[in-house]
Amino acid sequence: MTTQTTTPKTPSPATPGGATGLIGIPPHLGRALATGGGALTVVSTFLAWTWTSAFPGDLTVYGYPGGLQVLALIGGALTALLGLASYGVKGLRWLAPAGADPAVKFAALATLATTWYTVIAISAQLGGVVNLEPGGYLAAAATLIAFLGALALPFRHPDPDPFDPDSTSWERFRHTTAQRWGTVRAAFAPGTPRPAPTLPSWAEILVIVAVLGVALTVFTYGIGTEYDELFVGFLITAGLGFAALHRSGLIAQVTEITARHQNITICGAFVAAACFPFTQTDDQYATLGVYILIFATVALGLNIVVGLAGLLDLGYVAFLGVGAYAASLVSGSQSSPFDVHFPFWAAVLVGAAASLVFGVLIGAPTLRLRGDYLAIVTLGFGEIFRITANNLDGTSGPDVTNGSNGIAGIPDLDILGFDFGTHHDVAGVTIGRFANYFFLMLLITAVVVLVFRRSGDSRIGRAWVAIREDETAALAMGINGFRVKLIAFAVGASLAGLAGTVQAHVTYTVTPEQYLFAGTTPPNSAFLLAAVVLGGMGTIGGPLIGAALLFLIPNKLQFLGDYQLFAFGLALVLLMRFRPEGLVPNRRRQLEFHEEADAPAVLGKTGA
């Protein structure tokens, strides 16, 4: 038997540990180019990029960035700051706890993509590069220089991710030990920035407040983009900028802080969301806000079925429709065959109870199936619901749903004398109709989050996770799989029905075409499932963020026309390729997709 071992490579003298960049420029020169290019980009945003205001955003003003220049300014400033952090500047050490070199690459790429997209758009719309002013040429050259300098920087592996609050004590101990050992090694490694000291509790709470403020600002800016070019630039800057902060380790550090103060983070997130209507001057974007909350609430209910219990439900949007129809039939609509007008609390109970009953009736005979067979049956249920609602028109069947015309003329809510259909003045700010429903939907979302969190931490929640991981092993340990899955189905259906009661009053009309399996706009079953998978299955924030993105982006990309779904699908494919665990992953699922990251390296091979 002979043993072959690999000979360790000699570290490169240019960089510590032998890490090299993609081009032949020395790393120290690359840092200078990236930092200087980012600073020049900031300067260029205070110059005119074009001579005419025909291009949206009016990029003709000197000394005042506007439109897409603001995004280039943010990208350039981030590149310059990360470049300075790569030099080990003491005041910027907090910006890159895992090392700034990989983050500089993404920051420079974000700035380059946003700036060159703007330059190309100006040239295409106005008729050539002759329409560029010196500021546009300077921005294009500066971002290219910064990106070439970033390519010369060495690669470094990111530090371990922060512990998952859902993990066991042993997993937390292992992760904490790995982090401390990594900190010790980093302290003695040449060229590696030392991690920032641990903050006191009051300072960590201030960090959470600052993060929530930034999140509210970014969301408000994205939802309020006034023209198509600005929204595309926003997507580029926000996406690659988030990747840069993730590579720097700042996102991981903030995630660890929020995990230590989870209750404060959740409460602060709802307070920040409640501030959103006060940032709007009319109902134009508050409309999107209330629809996002409805979509997010339904996605969180689906997360119980898919994320916790592991049941693939392709007809979940039907439960939203059941709740909406049930509430509309008892809310005093002239199109309803029932001459009744229940108060809101009674309509909510009717909608949730109707969805609960349908969830039990559909789940009882079908939940003995597994995998693809269960998915096909639930897909069939969604189509049966839509076809049945179309046929209950008094001709093909009894007159209940008014057929394809649906239930129209649903009145606005009136709770304790508060009319949701009229404007109200709060602290000198006028709150419109959709803002009223936004606050109501925010309260319902808080209830759904509470139900999800409590049920996930309960005995039944642990049984759901056991069924999801290995149903055969769970059954062998004495878990009643059918009962556990039926409870998940029933709870998820009732939460969807709860959101459906508000949707019926917001939209005034409930029709079968609103509850398709797939379509160009949410909510539909395909988008709901994509929101759960995109955001992160089994988490609270994941479906909320995924639903917000999946509702906002298609509404903003309508200018693409027939290419809208193509661009959307391509983005999903890329996300699943590079981050299959979702934007806010559960650590267990993250390890399932990235097991090779924690596997020991093979140093040799044994042969006979």
Side-chain angles (χ1 to χ4, degrees):
M1 179 179 296
T2 60
T3 302
Q4 299 177 356
T5 58
T6 58
T7 303
K9 296 181 180 181
T10 304
S12 171
T15 58
T20 57
L22 294 177
I23 57 180
I25 301 177
H28 65 276
L29 181 58
R31 290 188 180 92
L33 291 176
T35 306
L40 281 178
T41 303
V42 173
V43 173
S44 69
T45 59
F46 291 89
L47 305 176
W49 284 16
T50 183
W51 62 275
T52 174
S53 59
F55 186 80
D58 192 8
L59 309 184
T60 64
V61 181
Y62 282 85
Y64 187 81
L68 287 162
Q69 288 177 321
V70 176
L71 300 177
L73 170 65
I74 295 173
L78 182 61
T79 304
L81 291 175
L82 288 172
L84 292 175
S86 66
Y87 281 104
V89 177
K90 185 176 181 181
L92 297 176
R93 187 175 57 185
W94 58 270
L95 190 60
D101 288 345
V104 173
K105 294 181 177 65
F106 281 94
L109 178 59
T111 312
L112 175 74
T114 304
T115 302
W116 279 73
Y117 165 75
T118 306
V119 169
I120 293 174
I122 291 174
S123 303
Q125 291 189 23
L126 301 183
V129 296
V130 68
N131 294 282
L132 293 175
E133 287 289 298
Y137 291 108
L138 177 61
T143 53
L144 183 60
I145 291 172
F147 183 66
L148 291 177
L151 292 180
L153 299 180
F155 292 95
R156 285 197 183 99
H157 295 288
D159 286 349
D161 292 325
F163 66 86
D164 182 10
D166 297 329
S167 61
T168 63
S169 300
W170 171 245
E171 289 173 337
R172 294 187 186 186
F173 171 76
R174 288 181 57 194
H175 181 73
T176 305
T177 304
Q179 278 191 320
R180 290 174 178 174
W181 177 241
T183 303
V184 173
R185 288 185 299 174
F188 293 96
T192 303
R194 297 182 180 181
T198 304
L199 298 175
S201 297
W202 63 268
E204 291 184 342
I205 294 175
L206 290 179
V207 169
I208 294 174
V209 173
V211 169
L212 293 175
V214 171
L216 177 62
T217 303
V218 171
F219 176 77
T220 303
Y221 184 89
I223 203 174
T225 48
E226 299 175 352
Y227 49 93
D228 303 332
E229 294 85 354
L230 183 60
F231 183 72
V232 173
F234 167 77
L235 287 182
I236 295 173
T237 304
L240 293 176
F242 178 85
L245 296 178
H246 174 70
R247 286 302 183 96
S248 71
L250 184 61
I251 299 296
Q253 191 171 19
V254 171
T255 303
E256 187 173 352
I257 292 175
T258 57
R260 287 198 292 265
H261 306 277
Q262 197 173 46
N263 292 331
I264 295 177
T265 302
I266 294 176
C267 294
F270 280 102
V271 171
C275 295
F276 169 72
F278 295 99
T279 65
Q280 308 300 312
T281 57
D282 52 35
D283 268 1
Q284 179 181 1
Y285 299 120
T287 306
L288 289 178
V290 68
Y291 284 128
I292 287 174
L293 280 181
I294 293 173
F295 188 33
T297 302
V298 180
L300 196 58
L302 179 60
N303 197 25
I304 293 179
V305 180
V306 177
L308 293 183
L311 305 174
L312 184 56
D313 188 351
L314 299 182
Y316 188 77
V317 73
F319 298 122
L320 175 68
V322 170
Y325 266 104
S328 63
L329 291 173
V330 299
S331 295
S333 171
Q334 297 296 326
S335 302
S336 172
F338 309 110
D339 189 17
V340 294
H341 190 177
F342 287 4
F344 175 67
W345 64 267
V348 167
L349 293 179
V350 170
S355 296
L356 174 64
V357 170
F358 271 86
V360 173
L361 291 179
I362 298 302
T366 60
L367 286 178
R368 300 187 187 277
L369 302 174
R370 297 187 186 182
D372 298 338
Y373 300 100
L374 176 62
I376 293 172
V377 171
T378 55
L379 175 61
F381 163 66
E383 291 301 303
I384 290 172
F385 164 76
R386 183 179 60 84
I387 295 172
T388 302
N390 265 315
N391 290 335
L392 296 179
D393 56 357
T395 302
S396 302
D399 186 11
V400 178
T401 63
N402 203 21
S404 60
N405 294 324
I407 307 298
I410 302 173
D412 282 306
L413 291 175
D414 191 328
I415 302 177
L416 300 177
F418 186 89
D419 188 357
F420 281 73
T422 61
H423 292 70
H424 300 274
D425 291 330
V426 178
V429 179
T430 301
I431 303 298
R433 175 180 182 269
F434 286 100
N436 297 330
Y437 282 105
F438 180 88
F439 288 120
L440 175 62
M441 205 54 229
L442 191 63
L443 291 176
I444 294 178
T445 304
V447 172
V448 175
V449 168
L450 181 63
V451 171
F452 181 90
R453 189 180 179 191
R454 292 300 184 184
S455 60
D457 293 336
S458 66
R459 180 178 179 182
I460 190 67
R462 293 192 293 271
W464 288 338
V465 174
I467 291 291
R468 182 194 69 192
E469 296 299 327
D470 193 329
E471 184 172 352
T472 303
L475 296 177
M477 296 301 294
I479 295 177
N480 189 332
F482 174 76
R483 183 177 65 87
V484 167
K485 291 190 291 185
L486 187 61
I487 292 175
F489 223 68
V491 172
S494 60
L495 294 180
L498 185 65
T501 59
V502 179
Q503 185 205 27
H505 292 85
V506 171
T507 59
Y508 288 128
T509 303
V510 179
T511 59
E513 286 70 24
Q514 295 176 345
Y515 309 105
L516 301 171
F517 166 72
T520 56
T521 57
N524 55 63
S525 293
F527 272 81
L528 287 171
L529 184 61
V532 174
V533 176
L534 169 67
M537 291 191 293
T539 62
I540 295 177
L544 299 179
I545 295 176
L549 293 177
L550 290 187
F551 194 94
L552 178 62
I553 293 177
N555 276 275
K556 290 290 188 177
L557 293 183
Q558 291 181 1
F559 67 94
L560 293 178
D562 295 336
Y563 295 97
Q564 176 184 351
L565 286 180
F566 172 77
F568 182 70
L570 180 61
L572 288 182
V573 169
L574 293 176
L575 183 68
M576 289 298 100
R577 167 59 183 85
F578 295 104
R579 197 171 177 82
E581 66 274 16
L583 296 176
V584 185
N586 179 284
R587 179 159 175 80
R588 294 192 190 97
R589 297 194 62 82
Q590 189 174 21
L591 291 177
E592 291 176 6
F593 287 106
H594 300 283
E595 291 180 355
E596 69 279 359
D598 292 345
V602 178
L603 299 179
K605 182 174 68 175
T606 303

